[in-house]
Amino acid sequence: MLDFNASASLSGRIEALMDQALEQERDATPPRQYLGGSRLGVSCERQLQFEYAQAPVDPGKGFGGRLLRIFERGHQTETMVIRWLRMAGFILKTEDADGRQFGFSVAQGRLRGHIDGVLVGGPEGFAYPALWENKCLGSKSWRELQKHKLAVAKPVYAAQVAVYQSYLTLYEHPALFTAVNADTMEIYAELVPFDAGLAQRMSDRAAKVIQATEAGELLPRSFAESTHFECKFCAWAQRCWK
């Protein structure tokens, strides 16, 4: 039960009610029973192990209402970009004949991924078919992406694209990666050629994480000190360093 006192603002009360509802929805959603292909590019293999094993996160490190709202904003933005691309003349497929999101499942279902879509036709100057992936980013991240491009600015996303191209056999033509600036609604677009080496490294990493986790072997940390900035943001930092 939420405790609202007389000094609570209307905004705070509404936000708290919404957050409570979102968190209840989150808690009622069954956790995924596999390693996600979109996560293979993270820096630390031990973190991937904790994710794959569904280890409880540290106290206070779960996805709260604000983050859940941000995630939903990303989903809604993706829906808008799908509409805009189709209006611009692209033939974009996002579901198979049964209405299911395109994806892959390997290693007896232990590794899976779901793609945003496949471009199968459209304006001249593009090669088809091609993987399409979209993100919604804050201005700082968006500007970094614009300046340094995907591989440097967002290596996790770059790994995701390579893995998806590989497992969906969409590697003949460059993927189209788009990102929406959540603050200005500017759109960044980049054609991403298939990086076979990166895809293989990520596939090997997935096998390593799955095998080690199921054998009860804890992989090494990627960082030497708990004060490393990535450790500070890890949901399992206390568990890892205790």
Side-chain angles (χ1 to χ4, degrees), residues 122-154:
E124 295 183 1
F126 298 88
Y128 308 100
L131 173 75
W132 171 65
E133 284 294 320
N134 182 75
K135 303 295 179 184
C136 181
L137 303 173
S139 287
K140 181 180 179 181
S141 289
W142 191 89
R143 287 194 298 267
E144 289 174 353
L145 177 63
Q146 185 182 47
K147 180 178 180 180
H148 299 293
K149 296 192 174 182
L150 185 67
V152 173
K154 299 295 178 184

Side-chain angles (χ1 to χ4, degrees), residues 28-156:
T29 303
R32 65 185 185 186
Q33 306 291 325
Y34 57 87
L35 182 60
S38 64
R39 296 288 296 154
L40 291 177
V42 301
S43 299
C44 186
E45 292 177 351
R46 183 178 289 190
Q47 181 182 3
L48 282 175
Q49 279 194 286
F50 289 141
E51 289 188 27
Y52 176 58
Q54 299 176 31
V57 300
D58 297 339
K61 287 295 187 75
F63 293 144
R66 189 180 72 85
L67 277 177
L68 293 170
R69 295 198 302 274
I70 290 173
F71 294 156
E72 185 161 348
R73 178 189 67 182
H75 293 316
Q76 295 300 324
T77 300
E78 179 185 318
T79 299
M80 291 189 295
V81 178
I82 289 170
R83 175 174 173 266
W84 299 336
L85 284 171
R86 288 172 173 164
M87 290 175 65
F90 289 95
I91 303 172
L92 175 59
K93 303 294 185 182
T94 58
E95 298 176 339
D96 63 19
D98 297 320
R100 295 173 299 190
Q101 187 179 13
F102 289 121
F104 68 89
S105 176
V106 297
Q108 291 78 51
R110 294 179 177 87
L111 174 64
R112 305 181 195 178
H114 299 88
I115 68 173
D116 291 339
V118 181
L119 296 165
V120 298
E124 295 183 1
F126 298 88
Y128 308 100
L131 173 75
W132 171 65
E133 284 294 320
N134 182 75
K135 303 295 179 184
C136 181
L137 303 173
S139 287
K140 181 180 179 181
S141 289
W142 191 89
R143 287 194 298 267
E144 289 174 353
L145 177 63
Q146 185 182 47
K147 180 178 180 180
H148 299 293
K149 296 192 174 182
L150 185 67
V152 173
K154 299 295 178 184
V156 175

